[in-house]
Amino acid sequence: MNSAYVFVFITSFVTLFLMRKVAKKIGLVDKPNARKLHQGAVPLVGGISVFLSLCAGFILYLPMNSNLGLYLSCSGVLIVLGVLDDKFDLSFKIRLFVQAGISLAMIVIGGHSLHNLGYLMGSETIALGEVSGSIITIIAVIGAINAFNMVDGIDGLLGGLASVTFTALGVVFFTNGNEYLGTFCLLIVAALTPYTLLNLGFLFGKRYKIFMGDAGSMFIGFSVVWMLMRGTQDPNIDAFKPVTALWLIALPLMDMATIMIRRMRKGHSPFKPDREHLHHICQRLGLSPLMTLLVICLMASICAFIGIYSDFHGVSESVMFIAFLVMFALYFMVISYIWRITTFIKKLCGRNSNAQEADF
Protein backbone atom coordinates (compact mmCIF):
# COMPACT_ATOMS: atom_id res chain seq x y z
CA MET A 1 0.00 0.00 0.00
CA ASN A 2 3.03 2.28 0.30
CA SER A 3 2.91 2.67 -3.48
CA ALA A 4 -0.52 4.32 -3.07
CA TYR A 5 0.92 7.08 -0.88
CA VAL A 6 3.81 7.66 -3.28
CA PHE A 7 1.43 7.76 -6.24
CA VAL A 8 -0.92 10.26 -4.61
CA PHE A 9 1.99 12.44 -3.45
CA ILE A 10 3.55 12.60 -6.92
CA THR A 11 0.18 13.02 -8.67
CA SER A 12 -0.72 15.88 -6.34
CA PHE A 13 2.65 17.52 -6.96
CA VAL A 14 2.35 17.29 -10.76
CA THR A 15 -1.30 18.37 -10.78
CA LEU A 16 -0.48 21.47 -8.72
CA PHE A 17 1.99 22.65 -11.35
CA LEU A 18 -0.36 21.90 -14.23
CA MET A 19 -3.37 23.55 -12.61
CA ARG A 20 -1.49 26.73 -11.62
CA LYS A 21 -0.92 27.42 -15.31
CA VAL A 22 -4.59 26.87 -16.06
CA ALA A 23 -5.55 29.16 -13.17
CA LYS A 24 -3.48 32.04 -14.50
CA LYS A 25 -5.03 31.70 -17.95
CA ILE A 26 -8.63 31.76 -16.71
CA GLY A 27 -8.05 34.29 -13.93
CA LEU A 28 -8.65 31.93 -11.04
CA VAL A 29 -6.23 33.81 -8.80
CA ASP A 30 -6.29 35.59 -5.46
CA LYS A 31 -5.27 39.25 -5.54
CA PRO A 32 -4.11 41.30 -2.54
CA ASN A 33 -6.62 43.56 -0.77
CA ALA A 34 -7.25 45.06 2.67
CA ARG A 35 -7.58 41.59 4.26
CA LYS A 36 -5.19 39.67 2.02
CA LEU A 37 -1.66 40.90 2.44
CA HIS A 38 0.21 38.53 0.12
CA GLN A 39 2.17 39.76 -2.89
CA GLY A 40 1.01 39.23 -6.47
CA ALA A 41 -1.80 37.12 -7.91
CA VAL A 42 -1.69 33.60 -6.44
CA PRO A 43 -3.44 30.64 -8.18
CA LEU A 44 -6.41 29.24 -6.24
CA VAL A 45 -6.07 25.62 -7.35
CA GLY A 46 -4.78 23.78 -4.29
CA GLY A 47 -8.15 22.22 -3.57
CA ILE A 48 -8.77 21.20 -7.18
CA SER A 49 -5.36 19.54 -7.39
CA VAL A 50 -5.71 17.69 -4.10
CA PHE A 51 -9.18 16.47 -5.09
CA LEU A 52 -8.07 15.25 -8.53
CA SER A 53 -5.04 13.41 -7.14
CA LEU A 54 -7.21 11.76 -4.48
CA CYS A 55 -9.78 10.70 -7.08
CA ALA A 56 -7.04 8.94 -9.02
CA GLY A 57 -5.58 7.36 -5.88
CA PHE A 58 -8.90 6.16 -4.51
CA ILE A 59 -10.02 4.68 -7.81
CA LEU A 60 -6.72 2.85 -8.35
CA TYR A 61 -5.97 1.65 -4.83
CA LEU A 62 -9.26 1.43 -2.92
CA PRO A 63 -12.22 -0.83 -3.78
CA MET A 64 -15.04 1.25 -5.21
CA ASN A 65 -18.33 1.08 -3.32
CA SER A 66 -21.46 3.19 -2.93
CA ASN A 67 -20.02 5.14 0.02
CA LEU A 68 -16.89 6.13 -1.87
CA GLY A 69 -18.96 7.05 -4.91
CA LEU A 70 -21.23 9.28 -2.83
CA TYR A 71 -18.24 10.89 -1.10
CA LEU A 72 -16.54 11.71 -4.41
CA SER A 73 -19.80 13.00 -5.90
CA CYS A 74 -20.52 15.31 -2.95
CA SER A 75 -16.91 16.46 -2.91
CA GLY A 76 -17.06 17.20 -6.63
CA VAL A 77 -20.11 19.41 -6.13
CA LEU A 78 -18.31 21.33 -3.37
CA ILE A 79 -15.23 21.73 -5.56
CA VAL A 80 -17.37 23.25 -8.34
CA LEU A 81 -19.13 25.50 -5.81
CA GLY A 82 -15.79 26.59 -4.39
CA VAL A 83 -14.33 27.37 -7.81
CA LEU A 84 -17.35 29.51 -8.66
CA ASP A 85 -17.04 31.26 -5.30
CA ASP A 86 -13.33 31.88 -5.82
CA LYS A 87 -14.03 33.29 -9.28
CA PHE A 88 -17.26 35.23 -8.74
CA ASP A 89 -17.49 35.69 -4.94
CA LEU A 90 -20.88 34.03 -4.43
CA SER A 91 -23.30 35.02 -1.69
CA PHE A 92 -22.94 33.04 1.55
CA LYS A 93 -26.63 32.13 1.18
CA ILE A 94 -25.87 30.21 -2.02
CA ARG A 95 -22.98 28.43 -0.34
CA LEU A 96 -25.12 27.45 2.64
CA PHE A 97 -27.92 26.20 0.37
CA VAL A 98 -25.58 23.90 -1.56
CA GLN A 99 -23.88 22.72 1.64
CA ALA A 100 -27.29 21.87 3.09
CA GLY A 101 -28.06 19.93 -0.10
CA ILE A 102 -24.83 17.96 0.32
CA SER A 103 -25.83 17.18 3.90
CA LEU A 104 -29.22 15.88 2.75
CA ALA A 105 -27.52 13.68 0.16
CA MET A 106 -25.40 12.15 2.93
CA ILE A 107 -28.53 11.47 4.97
CA VAL A 108 -30.98 10.32 2.27
CA ILE A 109 -28.67 8.52 -0.16
CA GLY A 110 -25.86 7.35 2.10
CA GLY A 111 -27.77 6.89 5.34
CA HIS A 112 -25.07 8.85 7.22
CA SER A 113 -26.51 10.95 10.01
CA LEU A 114 -25.97 11.78 13.66
CA HIS A 115 -28.25 9.41 15.55
CA ASN A 116 -26.10 8.64 18.59
CA LEU A 117 -24.25 11.27 20.65
CA GLY A 118 -22.92 8.76 23.16
CA TYR A 119 -22.96 9.00 26.95
CA LEU A 120 -22.41 12.74 27.19
CA MET A 121 -24.68 13.20 30.20
CA GLY A 122 -23.86 10.11 32.21
CA SER A 123 -25.06 6.51 32.13
CA GLU A 124 -27.59 6.74 29.30
CA THR A 125 -26.78 7.27 25.65
CA ILE A 126 -28.29 10.27 23.88
CA ALA A 127 -30.22 8.90 20.89
CA LEU A 128 -31.61 11.28 18.29
CA GLY A 129 -34.80 10.83 16.34
CA GLU A 130 -34.93 10.86 12.57
CA VAL A 131 -35.94 14.52 12.29
CA SER A 132 -33.73 15.88 15.08
CA GLY A 133 -30.81 13.74 13.90
CA SER A 134 -31.15 15.06 10.36
CA ILE A 135 -31.30 18.68 11.52
CA ILE A 136 -28.22 18.30 13.73
CA THR A 137 -26.40 16.47 10.93
CA ILE A 138 -27.02 19.35 8.53
CA ILE A 139 -25.78 21.84 11.13
CA ALA A 140 -22.72 19.69 11.86
CA VAL A 141 -21.78 19.30 8.18
CA ILE A 142 -22.19 23.01 7.44
CA GLY A 143 -20.30 23.86 10.62
CA ALA A 144 -17.34 21.60 9.81
CA ILE A 145 -17.12 22.85 6.23
CA ASN A 146 -17.04 26.48 7.33
CA ALA A 147 -14.77 25.84 10.31
CA PHE A 148 -11.97 24.71 8.01
CA ASN A 149 -12.84 27.43 5.52
CA MET A 150 -12.35 30.07 8.21
CA VAL A 151 -8.93 28.88 9.39
CA ASP A 152 -7.43 29.23 5.92
CA GLY A 153 -5.89 32.60 6.74
CA ILE A 154 -2.11 32.16 6.73
CA ASP A 155 0.28 30.01 4.72
CA GLY A 156 0.27 26.37 5.72
CA LEU A 157 -2.44 26.59 8.36
CA LEU A 158 -5.24 24.76 6.56
CA GLY A 159 -2.86 22.07 5.32
CA GLY A 160 -1.28 21.76 8.75
CA LEU A 161 -4.51 21.51 10.74
CA ALA A 162 -6.07 19.14 8.20
CA SER A 163 -2.96 16.93 8.31
CA VAL A 164 -3.14 16.81 12.12
CA THR A 165 -6.80 15.77 12.02
CA PHE A 166 -6.46 13.17 9.26
CA THR A 167 -3.29 11.71 10.78
CA ALA A 168 -5.11 11.34 14.11
CA LEU A 169 -8.07 9.73 12.34
CA GLY A 170 -5.74 7.39 10.47
CA VAL A 171 -4.12 6.29 13.73
CA VAL A 172 -7.52 5.61 15.31
CA PHE A 173 -8.81 3.63 12.33
CA PHE A 174 -5.64 1.54 11.96
CA THR A 175 -5.57 0.86 15.70
CA ASN A 176 -9.15 -0.43 15.49
CA GLY A 177 -8.24 -2.68 12.58
CA ASN A 178 -9.97 -0.66 9.85
CA GLU A 179 -7.22 -0.52 7.24
CA TYR A 180 -9.57 0.81 4.55
CA LEU A 181 -10.53 4.03 6.35
CA GLY A 182 -7.05 4.38 7.83
CA THR A 183 -5.55 4.31 4.35
CA PHE A 184 -8.26 6.71 3.17
CA CYS A 185 -7.21 9.29 5.77
CA LEU A 186 -3.46 8.97 5.24
CA LEU A 187 -3.90 9.26 1.47
CA ILE A 188 -5.48 12.66 2.10
CA VAL A 189 -2.40 13.63 4.13
CA ALA A 190 -0.17 12.47 1.26
CA ALA A 191 -2.17 14.62 -1.20
CA LEU A 192 -2.01 17.65 1.12
CA THR A 193 1.74 17.53 1.69
CA PRO A 194 2.90 18.90 -1.73
CA TYR A 195 0.33 21.69 -1.49
CA THR A 196 1.44 22.65 2.02
CA LEU A 197 5.11 22.74 0.98
CA LEU A 198 4.35 24.96 -2.03
CA ASN A 199 1.96 27.13 -0.04
CA LEU A 200 4.71 27.78 2.53
CA GLY A 201 7.27 28.45 -0.17
CA PHE A 202 9.49 25.60 1.02
CA LEU A 203 9.68 24.26 -2.55
CA PHE A 204 10.97 26.64 -5.24
CA GLY A 205 10.32 29.73 -3.14
CA LYS A 206 7.43 32.21 -3.13
CA ARG A 207 7.33 32.34 -6.91
CA TYR A 208 5.37 29.06 -7.05
CA LYS A 209 3.04 29.80 -4.13
CA ILE A 210 -0.44 28.29 -4.41
CA PHE A 211 -3.55 28.86 -2.31
CA MET A 212 -6.16 26.25 -1.45
CA GLY A 213 -9.13 28.44 -2.34
CA ASP A 214 -12.68 28.00 -1.07
CA ALA A 215 -12.93 24.88 -3.21
CA GLY A 216 -10.19 23.24 -1.19
CA SER A 217 -11.19 24.44 2.27
CA MET A 218 -14.80 23.29 1.78
CA PHE A 219 -13.60 19.95 0.42
CA ILE A 220 -11.29 19.46 3.41
CA GLY A 221 -14.02 20.38 5.89
CA PHE A 222 -16.47 18.00 4.25
CA SER A 223 -13.89 15.19 4.20
CA VAL A 224 -13.27 15.67 7.92
CA VAL A 225 -16.96 15.52 8.88
CA TRP A 226 -17.47 12.55 6.54
CA MET A 227 -14.75 10.57 8.32
CA LEU A 228 -15.97 11.64 11.76
CA MET A 229 -19.45 10.46 10.83
CA ARG A 230 -18.15 7.12 9.55
CA GLY A 231 -16.03 6.58 12.64
CA THR A 232 -18.71 7.37 15.23
CA GLN A 233 -22.12 6.63 13.67
CA ASP A 234 -21.58 3.51 11.56
CA PRO A 235 -22.32 0.47 13.80
CA ASN A 236 -20.09 -1.70 11.62
CA ILE A 237 -17.10 0.57 12.29
CA ASP A 238 -17.57 2.25 15.70
CA ALA A 239 -13.92 3.32 15.78
CA PHE A 240 -14.18 6.02 18.46
CA LYS A 241 -16.66 7.80 20.71
CA PRO A 242 -18.71 10.73 19.36
CA VAL A 243 -17.20 13.10 21.94
CA THR A 244 -13.71 12.24 20.69
CA ALA A 245 -14.61 13.90 17.39
CA LEU A 246 -14.80 17.26 19.20
CA TRP A 247 -11.18 16.89 20.32
CA LEU A 248 -9.97 15.93 16.83
CA ILE A 249 -11.26 19.21 15.34
CA ALA A 250 -11.02 21.30 18.51
CA LEU A 251 -9.04 24.29 17.19
CA PRO A 252 -11.03 24.96 13.98
CA LEU A 253 -14.30 24.37 15.86
CA MET A 254 -13.45 26.69 18.76
CA ASP A 255 -12.07 29.37 16.47
CA MET A 256 -15.23 29.35 14.32
CA ALA A 257 -17.60 29.38 17.30
CA THR A 258 -15.68 32.15 19.06
CA ILE A 259 -15.42 34.42 16.05
CA MET A 260 -19.09 33.99 15.12
CA ILE A 261 -20.26 34.72 18.68
CA ARG A 262 -18.06 37.80 18.85
CA ARG A 263 -19.36 39.08 15.50
CA MET A 264 -23.00 38.64 16.55
CA ARG A 265 -22.34 40.38 19.87
CA LYS A 266 -21.08 43.36 17.88
CA GLY A 267 -24.24 43.32 15.76
CA HIS A 268 -22.44 42.02 12.68
CA SER A 269 -23.26 39.07 10.45
CA PRO A 270 -21.56 35.87 11.68
CA PHE A 271 -20.31 35.42 8.10
CA LYS A 272 -18.77 38.89 7.81
CA PRO A 273 -15.01 38.48 7.23
CA ASP A 274 -12.58 40.18 9.57
CA ARG A 275 -9.08 39.81 11.04
CA GLU A 276 -10.02 38.52 14.49
CA HIS A 277 -9.19 34.82 14.06
CA LEU A 278 -6.65 33.08 16.27
CA HIS A 279 -3.94 33.26 13.62
CA HIS A 280 -4.50 37.00 13.22
CA ILE A 281 -4.31 37.53 16.97
CA CYS A 282 -1.10 35.51 17.25
CA GLN A 283 0.57 37.69 14.62
CA ARG A 284 -0.65 40.91 16.25
CA LEU A 285 0.94 39.65 19.46
CA GLY A 286 4.26 39.56 17.64
CA LEU A 287 4.57 35.98 16.43
CA SER A 288 5.88 35.45 12.91
CA PRO A 289 3.58 33.63 10.43
CA LEU A 290 5.72 30.47 10.71
CA MET A 291 5.73 30.57 14.51
CA THR A 292 1.96 31.16 14.48
CA LEU A 293 1.55 28.10 12.27
CA LEU A 294 3.69 25.94 14.57
CA VAL A 295 1.95 27.12 17.74
CA ILE A 296 -1.57 26.52 16.40
CA CYS A 297 -0.70 23.11 14.92
CA LEU A 298 0.94 22.14 18.20
CA MET A 299 -2.21 23.15 20.09
CA ALA A 300 -4.32 21.11 17.65
CA SER A 301 -2.00 18.12 18.04
CA ILE A 302 -2.25 18.27 21.84
CA CYS A 303 -6.06 18.37 21.64
CA ALA A 304 -6.10 15.41 19.24
CA PHE A 305 -3.71 13.47 21.50
CA ILE A 306 -5.91 14.13 24.55
CA GLY A 307 -8.97 12.95 22.63
CA ILE A 308 -7.33 9.76 21.35
CA TYR A 309 -5.64 8.96 24.67
CA SER A 310 -8.91 9.44 26.58
CA ASP A 311 -10.81 7.31 24.08
CA PHE A 312 -8.30 4.47 24.15
CA HIS A 313 -8.07 4.46 27.96
CA GLY A 314 -11.82 4.47 28.58
CA VAL A 315 -12.19 7.93 30.08
CA SER A 316 -15.86 8.67 30.69
CA GLU A 317 -17.55 10.42 27.79
CA SER A 318 -19.23 12.85 30.15
CA VAL A 319 -15.83 13.76 31.62
CA MET A 320 -14.40 14.26 28.11
CA PHE A 321 -17.36 16.43 27.17
CA ILE A 322 -17.18 18.59 30.30
CA ALA A 323 -13.42 18.97 29.81
CA PHE A 324 -14.01 20.12 26.25
CA LEU A 325 -16.61 22.66 27.36
CA VAL A 326 -14.23 23.99 30.03
CA MET A 327 -11.43 24.26 27.46
CA PHE A 328 -13.73 26.11 25.05
CA ALA A 329 -14.89 28.49 27.79
CA LEU A 330 -11.28 29.28 28.69
CA TYR A 331 -10.39 29.71 25.03
CA PHE A 332 -13.33 32.07 24.49
CA MET A 333 -12.45 34.16 27.55
CA VAL A 334 -8.77 34.43 26.62
CA ILE A 335 -9.52 35.43 23.02
CA SER A 336 -12.21 37.89 24.09
CA TYR A 337 -9.95 39.62 26.62
CA ILE A 338 -6.57 38.98 25.00
CA TRP A 339 -5.64 42.66 24.73
CA ARG A 340 -6.53 43.39 28.35
CA ILE A 341 -4.53 40.34 29.42
CA THR A 342 -1.47 41.34 27.38
CA THR A 343 -1.67 44.94 28.61
CA PHE A 344 -1.81 43.69 32.22
CA ILE A 345 1.16 41.35 31.64
CA LYS A 346 3.18 44.15 30.05
CA LYS A 347 2.44 46.46 33.00
CA LEU A 348 3.30 43.69 35.43
CA CYS A 349 6.56 42.95 33.63
CA GLY A 350 7.33 46.66 33.57
CA ARG A 351 6.79 46.93 37.33
CA ASN A 352 8.99 43.90 37.96
CA SER A 353 11.66 45.37 35.72
CA ASN A 354 11.54 48.69 37.59
CA ALA A 355 11.70 46.89 40.93
CA GLN A 356 14.74 44.93 39.82
CA GLU A 357 16.45 48.12 38.66
CA ALA A 358 15.72 49.75 42.02
CA ASP A 359 17.14 46.75 43.89
CA PHE A 360 20.20 46.86 41.68
Side-chain angles (χ1 to χ4, degrees):
M1 187 57 70
N2 289 337
S3 59
Y5 302 122
V6 175
F7 172 82
V8 168
F9 178 90
I10 294 175
T11 303
S12 177
F13 194 89
V14 173
T15 307
L16 284 165
F17 275 90
L18 294 176
M19 290 304 301
R20 69 185 305 275
K21 294 182 178 180
V22 175
K24 289 186 175 182
K25 289 184 178 180
I26 65 175
L28 188 60
V29 296
D30 195 28
K31 298 179 181 179
N33 58 33
R35 291 191 305 110
K36 303 173 182 179
L37 306 179
H38 58 82
Q39 296 180 349
V42 180
L44 292 163
V45 292
I48 302 172
S49 302
V50 169
F51 173 70
L52 292 177
S53 62
L54 283 173
C55 283
F58 290 157
I59 292 172
L60 288 175
Y61 291 96
L62 294 180
M64 181 59 70
N65 54 45
S66 58
N67 274 319
L68 182 56
L70 177 61
Y71 165 77
L72 293 177
S73 299
C74 292
S75 298
V77 172
L78 287 175
I79 288 291
V80 172
L81 173 67
V83 170
L84 293 175
D85 188 33
D86 288 329
K87 180 68 175 176
F88 302 108
D89 193 19
L90 302 176
S91 165
F92 75 88
K93 295 179 182 179
I94 297 176
R95 298 198 302 270
L96 291 181
F97 179 79
V98 176
Q99 291 166 9
I102 293 296
S103 307
L104 287 173
M106 286 180 61
I107 297 168
V108 176
I109 301 175
H112 303 302
S113 65
L114 283 167
H115 53 80
N116 177 19
L117 300 183
Y119 299 89
L120 296 183
M121 299 302 175
S123 59
E124 293 187 7
T125 184
I126 300 177
L128 301 176
E130 184 176 348
V131 175
S132 59
S134 297
I135 293 173
I136 294 177
T137 300
I138 294 172
I139 294 173
V141 172
I142 293 175
I145 290 173
N146 288 282
F148 280 85
N149 180 263
M150 287 183 175
V151 299
D152 191 17
I154 61 171
D155 293 344
L157 187 55
L158 178 60
L161 288 176
S163 295
V164 168
T165 298
F166 283 115
T167 299
L169 282 167
V171 169
V172 173
F173 284 127
F174 274 117
T175 303
N176 282 275
N178 195 314
E179 184 177 347
Y180 178 87
L181 292 181
T183 301
F184 190 105
C185 292
L186 296 188
L187 283 176
I188 295 178
V189 177
L192 283 170
T193 302
Y195 159 76
T196 305
L197 294 174
L198 285 172
N199 182 235
L200 287 168
F202 288 172
L203 293 178
F204 313 114
K206 301 295 184 181
R207 177 184 175 187
Y208 291 93
K209 180 185 289 290
I210 288 178
F211 286 163
M212 185 66 79
D214 286 342
S217 57
M218 287 195 290
F219 165 61
I220 293 300
F222 173 73
S223 299
V224 168
V225 75
W226 177 275
M227 298 311 298
L228 294 178
M229 205 85 72
R230 295 297 310 279
T232 61
Q233 303 301 309
D234 191 328
N236 297 320
I237 299 173
D238 194 26
F240 51 95
K241 302 166 186 173
V243 70
T244 305
L246 295 176
W247 290 90
L248 297 183
I249 60 170
L251 256 295
L253 186 61
M254 291 191 301
D255 184 61
M256 178 190 69
T258 298
I259 198 69
M260 294 182 78
I261 292 172
R262 294 183 68 192
R263 287 171 182 171
M264 288 187 289
R265 288 173 63 181
K266 294 177 182 179
H268 300 158
S269 166
F271 300 99
K272 178 183 178 181
D274 54 34
R275 294 184 62 81
E276 297 294 331
H277 290 281
L278 177 60
H279 51 271
H280 294 133
I281 292 173
C282 287
Q283 291 182 85
R284 287 161 63 185
L285 288 172
L287 296 182
S288 67
L290 182 58
M291 185 57 66
T292 297
L293 169 65
L294 294 176
V295 168
I296 294 178
C297 287
L298 176 61
M299 292 169 63
S301 299
I302 293 173
C303 290
F305 174 80
I306 292 173
I308 294 174
Y309 181 88
S310 300
D311 194 285
F312 284 174
H313 288 80
V315 175
S316 168
E317 292 176 58
S318 58
V319 171
M320 291 176 67
F321 184 56
I322 292 171
F324 179 84
L325 292 179
V326 170
M327 178 178 68
F328 173 65
L330 291 173
Y331 177 91
F332 182 85
M333 293 297 292
V334 170
I335 295 299
S336 297
Y337 296 99
I338 186 65
W339 305 119
R340 294 183 186 180
I341 295 172
T342 53
T343 299
F344 174 77
I345 293 174
K346 287 178 180 179
K347 288 181 178 179
L348 186 62
C349 291
R351 289 173 186 172
N352 290 338
S353 177
N354 292 335
Q356 291 173 1
E357 290 177 4
D359 291 339
F360 178 77

